[in-house]
Amino acid sequence: MDDWEKVISFGALYEGLEKARRNVMWKDSVSGYSLDGLENTLRLQQELQDGTYRISEYQRFMIHEPKEREIVATRIRDRQFQRSLCDNVLYKEMTRSFIHDNCACQRGKGVDFALDRMNAHLQRYYRKHGSSGWVLRCDIRHYFPETPHDVAKEAIRKRVKDPRCCLAAEEIVDSFGGDKGIGLGSQVSQLVELAVLDPIDHYIKERLRIRHYIRYMDDFILIHEDRAVLENAKKVITEKVNALGLEMNRKTQISPLKNGIRFLKWRFILTDSGRVIRRISRQSVVKERRKLKKLAGKIRRGEIPEEYLWTSFQSWRANARRGNAGRQIYEMEKLYDQLKEEIENGREGKPGGAANEGGGESGSRSCAV
């Protein structure tokens, strides 16, 4: 059985459906499709076999956290096929050449892996060079929306051997319309975008000899003891990014290591003693405080269930625990307790008063660090 036949086998497609619908069965479209999952899978398989399969029209919507961007949502039927394509062929072929510190959207990798790798790089740097040095942070302007389709398809052709699997992946790229722009939200999109910058990763590591280098999608961090080396690296990386039809944004700059490193909404500080401190961004704290207060107001008005407040707080706290954020967690707990008390007072007809920005101590602690 060749790669394409494996991808479109009934078992692989049905397994793709089971993975694609995980955690989204609350959606009517997903639950409705899954009710006749066996029949729909057989129909999908037949269309793939006879060449009549076509990608459905995408659902497009905007998100505003952590920043405003357009999400191109893939229909459950297409996600089922793409999951089988990725799991059985694309993932293995596309990621084979990736460097270890290409950290995003891979098995066993992600935000926690990237944060831990940053810690490791800083500790290793300190053992050889101390706490002085320079940091080059690179960021690509509108990476997903501006990636040319011919560049994305070339990244696929270089890595995927089976011609039918390669063609299927290229058709997914073209399905986003125009001659540039890869939709954010597709598993295939993420793999392709990781691969587009893979040659630059190898150039930085193998030709420029930058030992302390890490990338999370389009966010690069280079650490070196010599600023001149990073000035040259910045010039070369900019040229190579431009050659791909992309451009660097204004976040791309060189700064002293003593100022810390901003990476994935965290600030890393390498102390003179060699300790690495992770501090959560002030923006994250302010946004969560505002969000909790807004949710509490909606709960008091009966617009949303009370669980929304707990879910938001738990999600923020889980992220904050990735670093040295004990004080911020404590203050957020105080605010959460205060808002809970105000909600209860509102139910009993007692005046609640607005929560102060600094928060206040409540009689009982709902959550402990």
Side-chain angles (χ1 to χ4, degrees):
M1 181 184 293
D2 63 22
D3 285 344
W4 177 249
E5 289 175 345
K6 184 177 181 181
V7 167
I8 66 172
S9 67
F10 185 87
L13 288 172
Y14 193 77
E15 184 178 359
L17 173 60
E18 290 184 323
K19 291 179 179 178
R21 69 187 181 187
R22 195 174 296 161
N23 300 323
V24 289
M25 279 294 286
W26 54 272
K27 295 183 179 180
D28 291 341
S29 58
V30 177
S31 58
Y33 185 88
S34 298
L35 281 175
D36 297 315
L38 293 172
E39 183 178 339
N40 286 329
T41 300
L42 181 59
R43 185 180 296 113
L44 174 62
Q45 182 190 33
Q46 291 170 342
E47 290 181 14
L48 289 165
Q49 288 173 336
D50 61 29
T52 60
Y53 168 76
R54 297 293 180 271
I55 300 172
S56 305
E57 184 178 350
Y58 292 105
Q59 295 175 300
R60 299 174 183 268
F61 58 92
M62 300 298 295
I63 63 169
H64 303 278
E65 294 289 342
K67 62 182 179 181
E68 186 172 279
R69 62 181 67 183
E70 183 183 48
I71 299 296
V72 182
T74 308
R75 307 280 180 173
I76 181 62
R77 182 169 180 266
D78 300 315
R79 277 191 282 132
Q80 174 182 9
F81 165 59
Q82 291 182 25
R83 189 69 196 232
S84 179
L85 180 63
C86 285
D87 287 356
N88 291 292
V89 176
L90 290 190
Y91 185 87
K92 178 180 66 176
E93 298 292 334
M94 299 286 281
T95 63
R96 193 192 305 274
S97 66
F98 289 0
I99 65 170
H100 185 62
D101 286 316
N102 180 346
C103 300
C105 306
Q106 298 166 68
R107 295 166 192 159
K109 296 187 177 182
V111 172
D112 286 322
F113 176 83
L115 297 178
D116 289 343
R117 287 298 296 165
M118 179 62 77
N119 268 61
H121 276 293
L122 286 171
Q123 288 164 352
R124 290 171 186 170
Y125 178 90
Y126 177 84
R127 287 196 288 269
K128 190 169 183 180
H129 305 289
S131 59
S132 297
W134 300 89
V135 178
L136 169 59
R137 180 186 177 190
C138 301
D139 194 281
I140 296 177
R141 180 179 177 273
H142 299 158
Y143 183 46
F144 275 76
E146 296 293 332
T147 300
H149 287 184
D150 58 346
V151 171
K153 290 189 285 187
E154 179 61 25
I156 296 169
R157 294 188 199 109
K158 285 173 61 178
R159 293 166 175 81
V160 181
K161 299 174 183 177
D162 188 290
R164 286 175 292 184
C165 293
C166 183
L167 179 60
E170 290 183 41
E171 288 174 347
I172 292 169
V173 170
D174 285 332
S175 70
F176 296 112
D179 59 1
K180 68 178 182 179
I182 309 295
L184 183 62
S186 162
Q187 186 182 11
V188 174
S189 299
Q190 293 169 350
L191 282 176
V192 170
E193 292 287 42
L194 287 173
V196 164
L197 297 177
D198 180 52
I200 297 179
D201 291 339
H202 285 277
Y203 191 91
I204 292 170
K205 295 289 288 186
E206 297 160 14
R207 299 291 296 278
L208 298 181
R209 303 276 184 182
I210 304 295
R211 181 178 182 184
H212 302 291
Y213 166 69
I214 187 169
R215 176 166 72 89
Y216 194 93
M217 197 55 77
D218 63 326
D219 197 352
F220 306 64
I221 299 291
L222 295 77
I223 308 169
H224 201 273
E225 68 275 14
D226 188 342
R227 177 169 184 147
V229 171
L230 293 185
E231 291 283 5
N232 178 63
K234 180 182 176 183
K235 178 183 175 182
V236 173
I237 292 169
T238 299
E239 290 172 352
K240 291 189 172 296
V241 167
N242 291 344
L244 295 173
L246 298 162
E247 60 183 75
M248 312 300 280
N249 69 19
R250 59 186 180 185
K251 295 179 184 177
T252 300
Q253 58 186 346
I254 298 173
S255 59
L257 181 55
K258 290 280 190 182
N259 292 354
I261 301 174
R262 296 192 181 276
F263 184 58
L264 300 180
K265 305 299 181 184
W266 287 88
R267 183 171 174 234
F268 288 78
I269 300 171
L270 180 60
T271 67
D272 290 335
S273 65
R275 182 187 177 203
V276 178
I277 300 173
R278 289 186 202 170
R279 289 186 176 167
I280 194 167
S281 69
R282 183 177 182 276
Q283 183 183 31
S284 170
V285 176
V286 171
K287 281 187 175 181
E288 182 63 16
R289 293 181 71 86
R290 290 174 178 168
K291 183 177 180 181
L292 290 179
K293 292 175 184 179
K294 187 175 181 179
L295 289 173
K298 289 184 175 183
I299 292 169
R300 286 194 295 268
R301 294 191 297 271
E303 297 175 8
I304 58 173
E306 191 173 325
E307 305 89 75
Y308 280 47
L309 187 71
W310 170 250
T311 301
S312 178
F313 170 67
Q314 280 286 75
S315 176
W316 179 88
R317 188 172 65 167
N319 178 59
R321 281 177 166 170
R322 287 171 163 148
N324 307 93
R327 183 180 64 82
Q328 290 88 347
I329 293 173
Y330 174 72
E331 292 296 332
M332 198 69 74
E333 284 183 336
K334 288 202 299 183
L335 175 63
Y336 174 81
D337 285 345
Q338 183 176 350
L339 293 172
K340 283 276 292 179
E341 185 176 357
E342 290 178 1
I343 291 169
E344 292 301 318
N345 287 342
R347 286 178 179 158
E348 297 169 7
K350 299 177 182 178
N356 295 324
E357 184 66 25
E361 191 70 64
S362 68
S364 63
R365 178 57 45 86
S366 300
C367 327
V369 179

